[in-house]
Amino acid sequence: MGANTAENTNLRLKAVLDILAENVWSEEKLNAGEVLAEATARVPFNAHEAELLSGGIPRGHKTLTSASAKLVKAGWLVKGRSGWTIPEEGLRATVAFPDAAAFAAALDAGTPIPDDVAVPTAKPKTKRAAGKKAAPKAAAAKEAAPKAAAAKKTTRKAPAKAEAASAVETLPQPEAVAVAGDFNKILGAPEDWAPQYDETQMEFNPLVQVWSLSAELPAGFYTYKIALNRSWNENYGAFGVRDGANHELNHDGGPVTITYSHATHDIVVA
């Protein structure tokens, strides 16, 4: 941990890039809220940063989400509809500036990454130990057996899946659905109550015809609405009422998933 909020914020910004780089190699996908939660877990808040602002957001979290704009400006972070991703320049930055102080100085000064710094590559897969080779025919038979079994399994299960899919009534859906409320900055959006930003958008599951968004939220009391097509022209509040009262969430802290059904205009929180 750094000596003050500025140093801590720079350490967390570096942690954000490190986390995204690690996820490239592990192929694990985290949303913006999960990336920010992991960064603050690696560099915990001090007493000043842990103070809650209006809406129950820790001061340090707000500082970090605002500072993440510097990573975008440097070309080291991309904030998109599907979440936060690290481009090649961001990967190169983790190699060029591995030291926290050098990283912070380069970010603040806009220092370009040296041309000779290559994009890091994932660690090669561990090779199997060399041993006695199986006879070609035996090896082929061994390989074919699990494939045949898998094919047989798939053939048996396919009709059940098709039946389940056809059992769900398909309804016309909006182009986009957002959870717009007083915790959008925690998700990585530039401002709260922001249905226009990628970070607030829900993902649609066509099999069950619902939209959902999962996030890691600090403990606090939150209010929000469901807004369609990145604007407030059509929005739904408590009990699925259009332009209705805000939904409320008294959260103990940790992961939360909000699911929206366009058939009923109401939500489920888990």
Side-chain angles (χ1 to χ4, degrees), residues 43-83:
V43 186
F45 295 138
N46 59 30
H48 176 70
E49 295 167 332
E51 290 176 4
L52 298 183
L53 303 175
S54 58
I57 302 172
R59 187 189 306 278
H61 202 294
K62 184 176 181 180
T63 302
L64 176 58
T65 53
S66 299
S68 66
K70 294 197 293 184
L71 294 176
V72 176
K73 185 178 178 182
W76 298 353
L77 172 67
V78 175
K79 294 182 178 181
R81 182 170 185 172
S82 59

PDB file of all heavy atoms in Angstrom, residues 43-83:
ATOM      1  N   VAL A  43      -4.998  -3.810  -3.293  1.00  0.00           N
ATOM      2  CA  VAL A  43      -4.497  -2.583  -2.644  1.00  0.00           C
ATOM      3  C   VAL A  43      -5.648  -2.036  -1.798  1.00  0.00           C
ATOM      4  O   VAL A  43      -6.432  -1.206  -2.258  1.00  0.00           O
ATOM      5  CB  VAL A  43      -4.039  -1.538  -3.685  1.00  0.00           C
ATOM      6  CG1 VAL A  43      -3.395  -0.339  -2.974  1.00  0.00           C
ATOM      7  CG2 VAL A  43      -3.082  -2.140  -4.698  1.00  0.00           C
ATOM      8  N   PRO A  44      -5.792  -2.492  -0.562  1.00  0.00           N
ATOM      9  CA  PRO A  44      -6.940  -2.118   0.283  1.00  0.00           C
ATOM     10  C   PRO A  44      -7.003  -0.612   0.559  1.00  0.00           C
ATOM     11  O   PRO A  44      -5.994   0.095   0.517  1.00  0.00           O
ATOM     12  CB  PRO A  44      -6.693  -2.905   1.575  1.00  0.00           C
ATOM     13  CG  PRO A  44      -5.771  -4.017   1.185  1.00  0.00           C
ATOM     14  CD  PRO A  44      -4.896  -3.458   0.101  1.00  0.00           C
ATOM     15  N   PHE A  45      -8.214  -0.158   0.853  1.00  0.00           N
ATOM     16  CA  PHE A  45      -8.420   1.244   1.188  1.00  0.00           C
ATOM     17  C   PHE A  45      -7.818   1.559   2.560  1.00  0.00           C
ATOM     18  O   PHE A  45      -7.882   0.733   3.477  1.00  0.00           O
ATOM     19  CB  PHE A  45      -9.910   1.589   1.245  1.00  0.00           C
ATOM     20  CG  PHE A  45     -10.626   1.476  -0.078  1.00  0.00           C
ATOM     21  CD1 PHE A  45     -11.885   0.914  -0.150  1.00  0.00           C
ATOM     22  CD2 PHE A  45     -10.038   1.946  -1.238  1.00  0.00           C
ATOM     23  CE1 PHE A  45     -12.556   0.819  -1.356  1.00  0.00           C
ATOM     24  CE2 PHE A  45     -10.695   1.852  -2.448  1.00  0.00           C
ATOM     25  CZ  PHE A  45     -11.956   1.287  -2.511  1.00  0.00           C
ATOM     26  N   ASN A  46      -7.260   2.773   2.701  1.00  0.00           N
ATOM     27  CA  ASN A  46      -6.872   3.242   4.030  1.00  0.00           C
ATOM     28  C   ASN A  46      -8.122   3.841   4.682  1.00  0.00           C
ATOM     29  O   ASN A  46      -9.205   3.856   4.080  1.00  0.00           O
ATOM     30  CB  ASN A  46      -5.713   4.247   3.960  1.00  0.00           C
ATOM     31  CG  ASN A  46      -6.051   5.484   3.125  1.00  0.00           C
ATOM     32  OD1 ASN A  46      -7.215   5.895   3.051  1.00  0.00           O
ATOM     33  ND2 ASN A  46      -5.043   6.073   2.495  1.00  0.00           N
ATOM     34  N   ALA A  47      -7.995   4.334   5.891  1.00  0.00           N
ATOM     35  CA  ALA A  47      -9.163   4.822   6.627  1.00  0.00           C
ATOM     36  C   ALA A  47      -9.872   5.957   5.882  1.00  0.00           C
ATOM     37  O   ALA A  47     -11.112   6.000   5.811  1.00  0.00           O
ATOM     38  CB  ALA A  47      -8.731   5.291   8.016  1.00  0.00           C
ATOM     39  N   HIS A  48      -9.096   6.874   5.304  1.00  0.00           N
ATOM     40  CA  HIS A  48      -9.688   8.000   4.574  1.00  0.00           C
ATOM     41  C   HIS A  48     -10.423   7.512   3.332  1.00  0.00           C
ATOM     42  O   HIS A  48     -11.541   7.964   3.039  1.00  0.00           O
ATOM     43  CB  HIS A  48      -8.591   8.999   4.184  1.00  0.00           C
ATOM     44  CG  HIS A  48      -9.077  10.140   3.343  1.00  0.00           C
ATOM     45  ND1 HIS A  48      -9.888  11.129   3.845  1.00  0.00           N
ATOM     46  CD2 HIS A  48      -8.852  10.443   2.025  1.00  0.00           C
ATOM     47  CE1 HIS A  48     -10.168  12.004   2.886  1.00  0.00           C
ATOM     48  NE2 HIS A  48      -9.551  11.608   1.777  1.00  0.00           N
ATOM     49  N   GLU A  49      -9.822   6.580   2.613  1.00  0.00           N
ATOM     50  CA  GLU A  49     -10.417   6.074   1.372  1.00  0.00           C
ATOM     51  C   GLU A  49     -11.651   5.220   1.627  1.00  0.00           C
ATOM     52  O   GLU A  49     -12.535   5.113   0.778  1.00  0.00           O
ATOM     53  CB  GLU A  49      -9.387   5.246   0.597  1.00  0.00           C
ATOM     54  CG  GLU A  49      -8.201   6.052   0.102  1.00  0.00           C
ATOM     55  CD  GLU A  49      -7.058   5.169  -0.372  1.00  0.00           C
ATOM     56  OE1 GLU A  49      -6.925   4.026   0.136  1.00  0.00           O
ATOM     57  OE2 GLU A  49      -6.311   5.605  -1.259  1.00  0.00           O
ATOM     58  N   ALA A  50     -11.724   4.619   2.805  1.00  0.00           N
ATOM     59  CA  ALA A  50     -12.845   3.736   3.142  1.00  0.00           C
ATOM     60  C   ALA A  50     -14.093   4.505   3.574  1.00  0.00           C
ATOM     61  O   ALA A  50     -15.182   3.925   3.684  1.00  0.00           O
ATOM     62  CB  ALA A  50     -12.438   2.770   4.246  1.00  0.00           C
ATOM     63  N   GLU A  51     -13.957   5.815   3.799  1.00  0.00           N
ATOM     64  CA  GLU A  51     -15.123   6.620   4.202  1.00  0.00           C
ATOM     65  C   GLU A  51     -16.180   6.566   3.109  1.00  0.00           C
ATOM     66  O   GLU A  51     -15.868   6.732   1.929  1.00  0.00           O
ATOM     67  CB  GLU A  51     -14.707   8.077   4.447  1.00  0.00           C
ATOM     68  CG  GLU A  51     -13.849   8.271   5.680  1.00  0.00           C
ATOM     69  CD  GLU A  51     -13.379   9.710   5.824  1.00  0.00           C
ATOM     70  OE1 GLU A  51     -13.786  10.559   4.991  1.00  0.00           O
ATOM     71  OE2 GLU A  51     -12.598   9.983   6.740  1.00  0.00           O
ATOM     72  N   LEU A  52     -17.434   6.355   3.510  1.00  0.00           N
ATOM     73  CA  LEU A  52     -18.518   6.252   2.540  1.00  0.00           C
ATOM     74  C   LEU A  52     -19.047   7.619   2.150  1.00  0.00           C
ATOM     75  O   LEU A  52     -19.331   8.458   3.005  1.00  0.00           O
ATOM     76  CB  LEU A  52     -19.655   5.397   3.108  1.00  0.00           C
ATOM     77  CG  LEU A  52     -19.311   3.932   3.433  1.00  0.00           C
ATOM     78  CD1 LEU A  52     -20.562   3.211   3.924  1.00  0.00           C
ATOM     79  CD2 LEU A  52     -18.726   3.222   2.222  1.00  0.00           C
ATOM     80  N   LEU A  53     -19.200   7.822   0.841  1.00  0.00           N
ATOM     81  CA  LEU A  53     -19.799   9.041   0.324  1.00  0.00           C
ATOM     82  C   LEU A  53     -21.299   8.809   0.183  1.00  0.00           C
ATOM     83  O   LEU A  53     -21.810   7.751   0.521  1.00  0.00           O
ATOM     84  CB  LEU A  53     -19.174   9.385  -1.028  1.00  0.00           C
ATOM     85  CG  LEU A  53     -17.647   9.548  -1.028  1.00  0.00           C
ATOM     86  CD1 LEU A  53     -17.140   9.758  -2.445  1.00  0.00           C
ATOM     87  CD2 LEU A  53     -17.224  10.718  -0.137  1.00  0.00           C
ATOM     88  N   SER A  54     -22.024   9.788  -0.344  1.00  0.00           N
ATOM     89  CA  SER A  54     -23.462   9.610  -0.535  1.00  0.00           C
ATOM     90  C   SER A  54     -23.697   8.424  -1.461  1.00  0.00           C
ATOM     91  O   SER A  54     -23.003   8.243  -2.453  1.00  0.00           O
ATOM     92  CB  SER A  54     -24.062  10.879  -1.158  1.00  0.00           C
ATOM     93  OG  SER A  54     -23.437  11.179  -2.386  1.00  0.00           O
ATOM     94  N   GLY A  55     -24.678   7.593  -1.126  1.00  0.00           N
ATOM     95  CA  GLY A  55     -24.952   6.400  -1.917  1.00  0.00           C
ATOM     96  C   GLY A  55     -24.169   5.198  -1.447  1.00  0.00           C
ATOM     97  O   GLY A  55     -24.264   4.123  -2.025  1.00  0.00           O
ATOM     98  N   GLY A  56     -23.360   5.369  -0.385  1.00  0.00           N
ATOM     99  CA  GLY A  56     -22.632   4.245   0.172  1.00  0.00           C
ATOM    100  C   GLY A  56     -21.393   3.842  -0.602  1.00  0.00           C
ATOM    101  O   GLY A  56     -20.891   2.738  -0.456  1.00  0.00           O
ATOM    102  N   ILE A  57     -20.873   4.728  -1.459  1.00  0.00           N
ATOM    103  CA  ILE A  57     -19.685   4.410  -2.254  1.00  0.00           C
ATOM    104  C   ILE A  57     -18.436   4.869  -1.508  1.00  0.00           C
ATOM    105  O   ILE A  57     -18.344   6.031  -1.096  1.00  0.00           O
ATOM    106  CB  ILE A  57     -19.733   5.115  -3.626  1.00  0.00           C
ATOM    107  CG1 ILE A  57     -20.989   4.691  -4.384  1.00  0.00           C
ATOM    108  CG2 ILE A  57     -18.493   4.816  -4.437  1.00  0.00           C
ATOM    109  CD1 ILE A  57     -21.218   5.474  -5.652  1.00  0.00           C
ATOM    110  N   PRO A  58     -17.446   3.992  -1.300  1.00  0.00           N
ATOM    111  CA  PRO A  58     -16.211   4.413  -0.632  1.00  0.00           C
ATOM    112  C   PRO A  58     -15.485   5.494  -1.436  1.00  0.00           C
ATOM    113  O   PRO A  58     -15.457   5.449  -2.663  1.00  0.00           O
ATOM    114  CB  PRO A  58     -15.385   3.118  -0.577  1.00  0.00           C
ATOM    115  CG  PRO A  58     -16.378   2.016  -0.705  1.00  0.00           C
ATOM    116  CD  PRO A  58     -17.453   2.552  -1.596  1.00  0.00           C
ATOM    117  N   ARG A  59     -14.901   6.439  -0.726  1.00  0.00           N
ATOM    118  CA  ARG A  59     -14.182   7.539  -1.379  1.00  0.00           C
ATOM    119  C   ARG A  59     -13.105   7.014  -2.334  1.00  0.00           C
ATOM    120  O   ARG A  59     -12.945   7.503  -3.447  1.00  0.00           O
ATOM    121  CB  ARG A  59     -13.531   8.416  -0.306  1.00  0.00           C
ATOM    122  CG  ARG A  59     -12.881   9.690  -0.834  1.00  0.00           C
ATOM    123  CD  ARG A  59     -12.082  10.373   0.278  1.00  0.00           C
ATOM    124  NE  ARG A  59     -12.903  10.610   1.459  1.00  0.00           N
ATOM    125  CZ  ARG A  59     -13.721  11.645   1.599  1.00  0.00           C
ATOM    126  NH1 ARG A  59     -13.832  12.527   0.625  1.00  0.00           N
ATOM    127  NH2 ARG A  59     -14.425  11.795   2.704  1.00  0.00           N
ATOM    128  N   GLY A  60     -12.367   5.988  -1.901  1.00  0.00           N
ATOM    129  CA  GLY A  60     -11.291   5.453  -2.732  1.00  0.00           C
ATOM    130  C   GLY A  60     -11.795   4.819  -4.009  1.00  0.00           C
ATOM    131  O   GLY A  60     -11.108   4.842  -5.038  1.00  0.00           O
ATOM    132  N   HIS A  61     -12.996   4.241  -3.963  1.00  0.00           N
ATOM    133  CA  HIS A  61     -13.570   3.608  -5.160  1.00  0.00           C
ATOM    134  C   HIS A  61     -13.909   4.675  -6.197  1.00  0.00           C
ATOM    135  O   HIS A  61     -13.664   4.502  -7.401  1.00  0.00           O
ATOM    136  CB  HIS A  61     -14.825   2.813  -4.783  1.00  0.00           C
ATOM    137  CG  HIS A  61     -15.164   1.743  -5.767  1.00  0.00           C
ATOM    138  ND1 HIS A  61     -15.547   2.035  -7.053  1.00  0.00           N
ATOM    139  CD2 HIS A  61     -15.170   0.385  -5.674  1.00  0.00           C
ATOM    140  CE1 HIS A  61     -15.784   0.913  -7.698  1.00  0.00           C
ATOM    141  NE2 HIS A  61     -15.555  -0.105  -6.891  1.00  0.00           N
ATOM    142  N   LYS A  62     -14.502   5.768  -5.741  1.00  0.00           N
ATOM    143  CA  LYS A  62     -14.852   6.858  -6.652  1.00  0.00           C
ATOM    144  C   LYS A  62     -13.587   7.442  -7.287  1.00  0.00           C
ATOM    145  O   LYS A  62     -13.553   7.749  -8.482  1.00  0.00           O
ATOM    146  CB  LYS A  62     -15.613   7.954  -5.893  1.00  0.00           C
ATOM    147  CG  LYS A  62     -16.085   9.084  -6.799  1.00  0.00           C
ATOM    148  CD  LYS A  62     -16.919  10.092  -6.046  1.00  0.00           C
ATOM    149  CE  LYS A  62     -17.397  11.201  -6.986  1.00  0.00           C
ATOM    150  NZ  LYS A  62     -18.214  12.207  -6.266  1.00  0.00           N
ATOM    151  N   THR A  63     -12.535   7.599  -6.476  1.00  0.00           N
ATOM    152  CA  THR A  63     -11.274   8.130  -6.991  1.00  0.00           C
ATOM    153  C   THR A  63     -10.695   7.203  -8.056  1.00  0.00           C
ATOM    154  O   THR A  63     -10.209   7.655  -9.096  1.00  0.00           O
ATOM    155  CB  THR A  63     -10.250   8.288  -5.842  1.00  0.00           C
ATOM    156  OG1 THR A  63     -10.798   9.148  -4.842  1.00  0.00           O
ATOM    157  CG2 THR A  63      -8.946   8.888  -6.347  1.00  0.00           C
ATOM    158  N   LEU A  64     -10.780   5.898  -7.815  1.00  0.00           N
ATOM    159  CA  LEU A  64     -10.227   4.930  -8.763  1.00  0.00           C
ATOM    160  C   LEU A  64     -10.996   4.932 -10.079  1.00  0.00           C
ATOM    161  O   LEU A  64     -10.390   4.917 -11.155  1.00  0.00           O
ATOM    162  CB  LEU A  64     -10.248   3.534  -8.144  1.00  0.00           C
ATOM    163  CG  LEU A  64      -9.781   2.383  -9.054  1.00  0.00           C
ATOM    164  CD1 LEU A  64      -8.359   2.622  -9.551  1.00  0.00           C
ATOM    165  CD2 LEU A  64      -9.879   1.047  -8.325  1.00  0.00           C
ATOM    166  N   THR A  65     -12.329   4.925 -10.028  1.00  0.00           N
ATOM    167  CA  THR A  65     -13.110   4.905 -11.265  1.00  0.00           C
ATOM    168  C   THR A  65     -12.852   6.163 -12.093  1.00  0.00           C
ATOM    169  O   THR A  65     -12.776   6.098 -13.321  1.00  0.00           O
ATOM    170  CB  THR A  65     -14.617   4.772 -10.978  1.00  0.00           C
ATOM    171  OG1 THR A  65     -15.022   5.791 -10.058  1.00  0.00           O
ATOM    172  CG2 THR A  65     -14.931   3.421 -10.387  1.00  0.00           C
ATOM    173  N   SER A  66     -12.696   7.311 -11.421  1.00  0.00           N
ATOM    174  CA  SER A  66     -12.394   8.551 -12.148  1.00  0.00           C
ATOM    175  C   SER A  66     -11.003   8.480 -12.763  1.00  0.00           C
ATOM    176  O   SER A  66     -10.792   8.871 -13.917  1.00  0.00           O
ATOM    177  CB  SER A  66     -12.485   9.756 -11.208  1.00  0.00           C
ATOM    178  OG  SER A  66     -13.780   9.880 -10.671  1.00  0.00           O
ATOM    179  N   ALA A  67     -10.041   7.943 -12.003  1.00  0.00           N
ATOM    180  CA  ALA A  67      -8.653   7.869 -12.477  1.00  0.00           C
ATOM    181  C   ALA A  67      -8.483   6.870 -13.618  1.00  0.00           C
ATOM    182  O   ALA A  67      -7.537   6.969 -14.395  1.00  0.00           O
ATOM    183  CB  ALA A  67      -7.727   7.491 -11.317  1.00  0.00           C
ATOM    184  N   SER A  68      -9.400   5.907 -13.737  1.00  0.00           N
ATOM    185  CA  SER A  68      -9.274   4.910 -14.804  1.00  0.00           C
ATOM    186  C   SER A  68      -9.346   5.560 -16.187  1.00  0.00           C
ATOM    187  O   SER A  68      -8.911   4.975 -17.180  1.00  0.00           O
ATOM    188  CB  SER A  68     -10.361   3.838 -14.668  1.00  0.00           C
ATOM    189  OG  SER A  68     -11.649   4.385 -14.893  1.00  0.00           O
ATOM    190  N   ALA A  69      -9.882   6.770 -16.246  1.00  0.00           N
ATOM    191  CA  ALA A  69      -9.923   7.505 -17.525  1.00  0.00           C
ATOM    192  C   ALA A  69      -8.509   7.758 -18.045  1.00  0.00           C
ATOM    193  O   ALA A  69      -8.297   7.871 -19.265  1.00  0.00           O
ATOM    194  CB  ALA A  69     -10.667   8.828 -17.342  1.00  0.00           C
ATOM    195  N   LYS A  70      -7.520   7.835 -17.142  1.00  0.00           N
ATOM    196  CA  LYS A  70      -6.128   8.041 -17.579  1.00  0.00           C
ATOM    197  C   LYS A  70      -5.615   6.826 -18.351  1.00  0.00           C
ATOM    198  O   LYS A  70      -4.833   6.969 -19.297  1.00  0.00           O
ATOM    199  CB  LYS A  70      -5.224   8.310 -16.363  1.00  0.00           C
ATOM    200  CG  LYS A  70      -5.527   9.619 -15.648  1.00  0.00           C
ATOM    201  CD  LYS A  70      -4.388  10.058 -14.731  1.00  0.00           C
ATOM    202  CE  LYS A  70      -4.201   9.151 -13.561  1.00  0.00           C
ATOM    203  NZ  LYS A  70      -3.150   9.630 -12.614  1.00  0.00           N
ATOM    204  N   LEU A  71      -6.047   5.634 -17.946  1.00  0.00           N
ATOM    205  CA  LEU A  71      -5.634   4.420 -18.664  1.00  0.00           C
ATOM    206  C   LEU A  71      -6.229   4.413 -20.076  1.00  0.00           C
ATOM    207  O   LEU A  71      -5.583   4.003 -21.032  1.00  0.00           O
ATOM    208  CB  LEU A  71      -6.096   3.170 -17.902  1.00  0.00           C
ATOM    209  CG  LEU A  71      -5.454   2.915 -16.537  1.00  0.00           C
ATOM    210  CD1 LEU A  71      -6.098   1.701 -15.882  1.00  0.00           C
ATOM    211  CD2 LEU A  71      -3.950   2.705 -16.670  1.00  0.00           C
ATOM    212  N   VAL A  72      -7.480   4.875 -20.176  1.00  0.00           N
ATOM    213  CA  VAL A  72      -8.136   4.949 -21.490  1.00  0.00           C
ATOM    214  C   VAL A  72      -7.425   5.954 -22.383  1.00  0.00           C
ATOM    215  O   VAL A  72      -7.141   5.687 -23.559  1.00  0.00           O
ATOM    216  CB  VAL A  72      -9.628   5.322 -21.324  1.00  0.00           C
ATOM    217  CG1 VAL A  72     -10.282   5.507 -22.693  1.00  0.00           C
ATOM    218  CG2 VAL A  72     -10.364   4.257 -20.516  1.00  0.00           C
ATOM    219  N   LYS A  73      -7.121   7.124 -21.810  1.00  0.00           N
ATOM    220  CA  LYS A  73      -6.441   8.179 -22.569  1.00  0.00           C
ATOM    221  C   LYS A  73      -5.074   7.721 -23.066  1.00  0.00           C
ATOM    222  O   LYS A  73      -4.652   8.066 -24.182  1.00  0.00           O
ATOM    223  CB  LYS A  73      -6.289   9.423 -21.688  1.00  0.00           C
ATOM    224  CG  LYS A  73      -5.703  10.618 -22.431  1.00  0.00           C
ATOM    225  CD  LYS A  73      -5.610  11.834 -21.516  1.00  0.00           C
ATOM    226  CE  LYS A  73      -4.988  13.010 -22.260  1.00  0.00           C
ATOM    227  NZ  LYS A  73      -4.852  14.203 -21.372  1.00  0.00           N
ATOM    228  N   ALA A  74      -4.392   6.917 -22.257  1.00  0.00           N
ATOM    229  CA  ALA A  74      -3.063   6.425 -22.642  1.00  0.00           C
ATOM    230  C   ALA A  74      -3.146   5.317 -23.699  1.00  0.00           C
ATOM    231  O   ALA A  74      -2.131   4.943 -24.290  1.00  0.00           O
ATOM    232  CB  ALA A  74      -2.327   5.905 -21.411  1.00  0.00           C
ATOM    233  N   GLY A  75      -4.352   4.809 -23.934  1.00  0.00           N
ATOM    234  CA  GLY A  75      -4.512   3.712 -24.884  1.00  0.00           C
ATOM    235  C   GLY A  75      -4.197   2.359 -24.280  1.00  0.00           C
ATOM    236  O   GLY A  75      -3.977   1.386 -24.999  1.00  0.00           O
ATOM    237  N   TRP A  76      -4.216   2.274 -22.939  1.00  0.00           N
ATOM    238  CA  TRP A  76      -3.861   1.037 -22.249  1.00  0.00           C
ATOM    239  C   TRP A  76      -5.094   0.270 -21.779  1.00  0.00           C
ATOM    240  O   TRP A  76      -4.986  -0.846 -21.295  1.00  0.00           O
ATOM    241  CB  TRP A  76      -2.982   1.332 -21.032  1.00  0.00           C
ATOM    242  CG  TRP A  76      -1.672   1.986 -21.380  1.00  0.00           C
ATOM    243  CD1 TRP A  76      -1.166   2.207 -22.634  1.00  0.00           C
ATOM    244  CD2 TRP A  76      -0.705   2.519 -20.466  1.00  0.00           C
ATOM    245  NE1 TRP A  76       0.054   2.838 -22.559  1.00  0.00           N
ATOM    246  CE2 TRP A  76       0.362   3.037 -21.237  1.00  0.00           C
ATOM    247  CE3 TRP A  76      -0.625   2.599 -19.072  1.00  0.00           C
ATOM    248  CZ2 TRP A  76       1.484   3.631 -20.665  1.00  0.00           C
ATOM    249  CZ3 TRP A  76       0.485   3.197 -18.501  1.00  0.00           C
ATOM    250  CH2 TRP A  76       1.537   3.698 -19.285  1.00  0.00           C
ATOM    251  N   LEU A  77      -6.274   0.889 -21.902  1.00  0.00           N
ATOM    252  CA  LEU A  77      -7.510   0.267 -21.453  1.00  0.00           C
ATOM    253  C   LEU A  77      -8.630   0.649 -22.413  1.00  0.00           C
ATOM    254  O   LEU A  77      -8.695   1.781 -22.886  1.00  0.00           O
ATOM    255  CB  LEU A  77      -7.864   0.748 -20.034  1.00  0.00           C
ATOM    256  CG  LEU A  77      -9.232   0.345 -19.470  1.00  0.00           C
ATOM    257  CD1 LEU A  77      -9.300  -1.161 -19.238  1.00  0.00           C
ATOM    258  CD2 LEU A  77      -9.526   1.089 -18.167  1.00  0.00           C
ATOM    259  N   VAL A  78      -9.498  -0.314 -22.695  1.00  0.00           N
ATOM    260  CA  VAL A  78     -10.666  -0.058 -23.544  1.00  0.00           C
ATOM    261  C   VAL A  78     -11.909  -0.385 -22.733  1.00  0.00           C
ATOM    262  O   VAL A  78     -12.048  -1.493 -22.199  1.00  0.00           O
ATOM    263  CB  VAL A  78     -10.647  -0.914 -24.827  1.00  0.00           C
ATOM    264  CG1 VAL A  78     -11.938  -0.715 -25.615  1.00  0.00           C
ATOM    265  CG2 VAL A  78      -9.447  -0.562 -25.687  1.00  0.00           C
ATOM    266  N   LYS A  79     -12.818   0.594 -22.614  1.00  0.00           N
ATOM    267  CA  LYS A  79     -14.081   0.373 -21.924  1.00  0.00           C
ATOM    268  C   LYS A  79     -15.148   0.142 -22.993  1.00  0.00           C
ATOM    269  O   LYS A  79     -15.515   1.064 -23.713  1.00  0.00           O
ATOM    270  CB  LYS A  79     -14.454   1.582 -21.054  1.00  0.00           C
ATOM    271  CG  LYS A  79     -13.492   1.811 -19.898  1.00  0.00           C
ATOM    272  CD  LYS A  79     -13.938   2.991 -19.043  1.00  0.00           C
ATOM    273  CE  LYS A  79     -13.006   3.209 -17.860  1.00  0.00           C
ATOM    274  NZ  LYS A  79     -13.449   4.339 -17.009  1.00  0.00           N
ATOM    275  N   GLY A  80     -15.616  -1.085 -23.083  1.00  0.00           N
ATOM    276  CA  GLY A  80     -16.575  -1.421 -24.128  1.00  0.00           C
ATOM    277  C   GLY A  80     -17.851  -1.994 -23.582  1.00  0.00           C
ATOM    278  O   GLY A  80     -18.028  -2.146 -22.370  1.00  0.00           O
ATOM    279  N   ARG A  81     -18.756  -2.326 -24.501  1.00  0.00           N
ATOM    280  CA  ARG A  81     -20.067  -2.833 -24.121  1.00  0.00           C
ATOM    281  C   ARG A  81     -19.967  -4.146 -23.348  1.00  0.00           C
ATOM    282  O   ARG A  81     -20.742  -4.420 -22.445  1.00  0.00           O
ATOM    283  CB  ARG A  81     -20.911  -3.032 -25.377  1.00  0.00           C
ATOM    284  CG  ARG A  81     -22.320  -3.521 -25.096  1.00  0.00           C
ATOM    285  CD  ARG A  81     -23.175  -3.473 -26.325  1.00  0.00           C
ATOM    286  NE  ARG A  81     -24.545  -3.835 -26.006  1.00  0.00           N
ATOM    287  CZ  ARG A  81     -25.553  -3.740 -26.845  1.00  0.00           C
ATOM    288  NH1 ARG A  81     -25.337  -3.304 -28.059  1.00  0.00           N
ATOM    289  NH2 ARG A  81     -26.769  -4.083 -26.487  1.00  0.00           N
ATOM    290  N   SER A  82     -18.994  -4.963 -23.710  1.00  0.00           N
ATOM    291  CA  SER A  82     -18.856  -6.268 -23.058  1.00  0.00           C
ATOM    292  C   SER A  82     -17.975  -6.212 -21.808  1.00  0.00           C
ATOM    293  O   SER A  82     -17.700  -7.223 -21.178  1.00  0.00           O
ATOM    294  CB  SER A  82     -18.277  -7.294 -24.042  1.00  0.00           C
ATOM    295  OG  SER A  82     -17.020  -6.866 -24.519  1.00  0.00           O
ATOM    296  N   GLY A  83     -17.525  -5.016 -21.441  1.00  0.00           N
ATOM    297  CA  GLY A  83     -16.692  -4.879 -20.247  1.00  0.00           C
ATOM    298  C   GLY A  83     -15.383  -4.171 -20.552  1.00  0.00           C
ATOM    299  O   GLY A  83     -15.236  -3.526 -21.593  1.00  0.00           O
TER     300      GLY A  83
END
